[in-house]
Amino acid sequence: MPVNLTRNAIAAIIDGDVNSKPLVQVLDIKLIGNAQERYRLLLSDSVSTQHAMIATQLNDRVKTGQVRKGSVVQLIDYICSTVQNRRIIVVLNMETIIPDCEIIGNMQVPAGDDPSAPKLLPNASSNSSTRVANANIGGQTADNGVQNFRPTVQPPYQPPPNYKHHGPIMRNEAPARIIPIAALNPYQGRWAIRARVTAKSEVRRYNNARGDGKVFSFDLLDSDGGEIRVTCFNAVVDRFHGVIEVGKVYMISKGNLKPASKNFNHLKNEWEILLESTSTVDLCPDEDVSIPRQQFTFRSICEIQSAENNTMLDIIGVVISVNPSVPILRKNGMETQRRIINLKDMSDRSIELTLWGDFCSREGQKLQELFDSGTFPVLAVKAAKVSDFSGKSVGTISSSQIFINPDIPEAQRLRAWFDQGGKDIAAQSISREIMPVGAKNEIRKTISQIKDEGLGRSDKPDWVSIKASISFIKTDAFCYTACPLMIGVRQCNKKVTRSGNRWACDRCNQEFEDCDYRYLLQAQIQDHTGVTWVTAFQESSEEILGCSAKELYLLKYEEQDVDKFAEVIHSSLFVQFLFRLKIKEELYGEEQRVKTTIIKADRVDYSSEGRYLLDVLTKPPPLR
């Protein structure tokens, strides 16, 4: 059924209208942009056509087919901006009135038209004087029998105020509209946002090909939950760094939007604001309770177990241990402080949180004092970085924020759980490479079963327990020289080589006087069913041999005490261990081989083993 569009709506929008909420038809849709998906629409009001860009939050309307060629839509929130000397409509919000409709006016979609100006449609009267206010209201039928889908609220178009005597830039002096952070896009001309500062960085100095400079940034949160980062350089730093205070609400306008650098910006926004000399930042004197102080998206510790490396996330937990702060040499040769804290939550998991730099002496010291006094504080971290080296852990970065005993519902629930029994529940750490929790963790296998069942040949590794003893250890190359420098929250551990009288790491591109020594043990284990080769790394090798790799290396090569070295090796042979194994097929050259790695080695506790065997004997046999 034909419908009436809002005639002359496009001309009105170009003249400055932002309130009439017109009905227009989509004649064409084109996907543009490589790095970022954006859709350009060709809109018609039955008199003229004009290109429009839709905000990225509306992309799903196109992808799901709610908006397509022929759709009649009502523009709810929109502006007209000048982009590269062209006028273009930016649609921030719209509603689909008729999803699929014949082209109104029976005209052809213009090809290769210039979006800088509206195009008159064929058969459209160039002398049309139809006003928006004269349209019938939603659902009424005009005299010609055409059903009229008019918006329920359609105020008459009022031309924008005429700022006279201000020269050719008079329209740019109109007051900017306050819009949500989520609606910001680079196609807008005049905009303003009202938001609270949730974080502020220190001034950082840098040096690059353009010369020396300084930079600082701060994060904003508005009442709709939108977040965005604001960055200032050089002279703008001097202007705004002393003005911005965390927790205060500001009105910000005349900034420049640019794509967010995800290497440094963890916020869920594809844009960030660059303030310039013409930008304005005004403090809002009245407290706005509609804007929260902070916004968290917490992930439970068990969820972090499946998070990808370098993921940025928020975490909350009860502090169950605090280690002392220790100096660490970074790969750039600079010394920093590191403090490891263990957190526990209601998922019955624990995780290592590594504090770096000033966090160690500020929040870390306060946590140490609270923990030493017998209390277990609740700790929330915004923007922690995930590391997957030898298990999962999280660490702080420069833009992380730490909150001790925060007054938020999540902290209150966690405190109540911990005080009412959660403190006594054993938590499994995910910060070391361990077997997943579940029934498979308890499966006991023999060596022949591992081979006969083809374990390790699926996409994911198999995790099993096995009672066996070590029958042989390769002693010609039981360890390697490793890099002692820190990368993020973990030690580099890359193999290093001699460079004169110093050691050199190709990964860190650094030299140092002393290296570390780490186990890389190749051994055979055997049980009553067979023999197989296994690999053991640092922690599991120390559990087997009872000493560090450096101690064993010095014993063999520095002290050259062959008898004592042999005694250490022989003391570990033919002793029963309960091994936790990770079995996975890997590619060596062009050949697929199953690799078995010892993740944990415990000497058999015969009391516990006796109970296990008794339990096996008393269980009924499985049904066949």
Side-chain angles (χ1 to χ4, degrees), residues 493-551:
N493 291 332
K494 182 77 173 176
K495 181 177 175 60
V496 296
T497 56
R498 274 287 187 184
S499 177
N501 295 326
R502 298 169 67 84
W503 296 94
C505 176
D506 293 335
R507 180 184 185 183
C508 299
N509 195 26
Q510 293 286 325
E511 292 186 1
F512 31 84
E513 294 182 0
D514 297 318
C515 68
D516 197 6
Y517 294 86
R518 295 187 66 83
Y519 278 117
L520 182 57
L521 211 60
Q522 302 292 326
Q524 276 188 339
I525 62 172
Q526 68 174 31
D527 65 3
H528 63 286
T529 67
V531 177
T532 190
W533 282 97
V534 295
T535 300
F537 293 99
Q538 183 76 355
E539 289 79 10
S540 54
S541 295
E542 289 179 346
E543 291 168 346
I544 293 169
L545 296 173
C547 63
S548 68
K550 185 173 183 179
E551 290 172 341

Side-chain angles (χ1 to χ4, degrees), residues 346-554:
M346 290 186 283
S347 65
D348 296 337
R349 300 289 188 278
S350 66
I351 191 172
E352 283 185 2
L353 165 66
T354 304
L355 306 183
W356 292 99
D358 292 339
F359 287 117
C360 296
S361 56
R362 294 197 312 259
E363 292 85 353
Q365 185 60 37
K366 184 176 180 181
L367 289 170
Q368 182 78 66
E369 294 170 359
L370 289 172
F371 190 77
D372 290 344
S373 67
T375 61
F376 296 85
V378 174
L379 187 69
V381 182
K382 185 173 179 62
K385 188 175 184 179
V386 175
S387 171
D388 64 359
F389 180 81
S390 185
K392 289 292 174 66
S393 63
V394 291
T396 60
I397 60 174
S398 60
S399 58
S400 298
Q401 295 176 265
I402 296 179
F403 303 87
I404 300 174
N405 291 324
D407 186 16
I408 56 177
E410 294 89 346
Q412 295 165 4
R413 287 195 297 270
L414 195 58
R415 168 57 61 198
W417 165 81
F418 188 81
D419 293 342
Q420 295 170 11
K423 176 182 179 180
D424 301 321
I425 298 176
Q428 185 176 12
S429 173
I430 69 170
S431 295
R432 291 288 181 267
E433 191 168 22
I434 57 175
M435 292 189 299
V437 174
K440 202 166 187 179
N441 186 30
E442 304 303 325
I443 292 177
R444 185 78 69 88
K445 295 289 184 181
T446 64
I447 291 176
S448 63
Q449 287 176 321
I450 292 174
K451 295 178 179 180
D452 295 342
E453 296 176 14
L455 298 184
R457 298 189 180 277
S458 59
D459 292 337
K460 294 184 178 180
D462 287 308
W463 305 79
V464 298
S465 297
I466 182 172
K467 184 176 71 173
S469 59
I470 296 175
S471 58
F472 177 74
I473 297 175
K474 281 188 176 182
T475 58
D476 53 343
F478 60 88
C479 69
Y480 70 95
T481 51
C483 176
L485 301 182
M486 300 301 298
I487 297 180
V489 299
R490 293 293 180 185
Q491 188 172 320
C492 172
N493 291 332
K494 182 77 173 176
K495 181 177 175 60
V496 296
T497 56
R498 274 287 187 184
S499 177
N501 295 326
R502 298 169 67 84
W503 296 94
C505 176
D506 293 335
R507 180 184 185 183
C508 299
N509 195 26
Q510 293 286 325
E511 292 186 1
F512 31 84
E513 294 182 0
D514 297 318
C515 68
D516 197 6
Y517 294 86
R518 295 187 66 83
Y519 278 117
L520 182 57
L521 211 60
Q522 302 292 326
Q524 276 188 339
I525 62 172
Q526 68 174 31
D527 65 3
H528 63 286
T529 67
V531 177
T532 190
W533 282 97
V534 295
T535 300
F537 293 99
Q538 183 76 355
E539 289 79 10
S540 54
S541 295
E542 289 179 346
E543 291 168 346
I544 293 169
L545 296 173
C547 63
S548 68
K550 185 173 183 179
E551 290 172 341
L552 198 59
Y553 177 87
L554 294 177

Side-chain angles (χ1 to χ4, degrees), residues 475 478-479 517 519 545-571:
T475 58
F478 60 88
C479 69
Y517 294 86
Y519 278 117
L545 296 173
C547 63
S548 68
K550 185 173 183 179
E551 290 172 341
L552 198 59
Y553 177 87
L554 294 177
L555 190 64
K556 180 178 182 180
Y557 294 103
E558 298 292 336
E559 301 177 17
Q560 296 185 354
D561 192 337
V562 179
D563 294 336
K564 195 168 183 179
F565 175 82
E567 181 183 343
V568 173
I569 299 297
H570 291 158
S571 65

Side-chain angles (χ1 to χ4, degrees), residues 48 62 68 90 168 177 218 225 240 251 254 283 294 305 308 310 332 341 344 372 404 433 471 473 495 511 560 595 598:
S48 58
V62 177
R68 53 185 182 266
V90 179
R177 287 192 307 150
F218 55 95
F240 292 122
M251 186 86 72
K254 298 182 181 179
L283 176 66
Q294 188 55 267
Q305 196 164 1
E308 294 184 2
N310 296 326
N332 60 5
I341 292 171
K344 173 183 178 180
D372 290 344
I404 300 174
E433 191 168 22
S471 58
I473 297 175
K495 181 177 175 60
E511 292 186 1
Q560 296 185 354
K595 180 180 179 181
I598 298 177

Side-chain angles (χ1 to χ4, degrees), residues 133-160:
N134 294 334
N136 292 330
I137 304 301
Q140 296 181 0
T141 304
D143 295 339
N144 58 3
V146 176
Q147 189 166 356
N148 196 337
F149 289 87
R150 291 297 177 189
T152 56
V153 179
Q154 189 88 295
Y157 164 64
Q158 298 293 334

Side-chain angles (χ1 to χ4, degrees), residues 14 36 154 182 185 232 252 282 284 292 308 372 381 490:
I14 291 176
Q36 178 193 6
Q154 189 88 295
N185 67 78
C232 305
I252 299 176
D282 297 320
C284 300
E308 294 184 2
D372 290 344
V381 182
R490 293 293 180 185

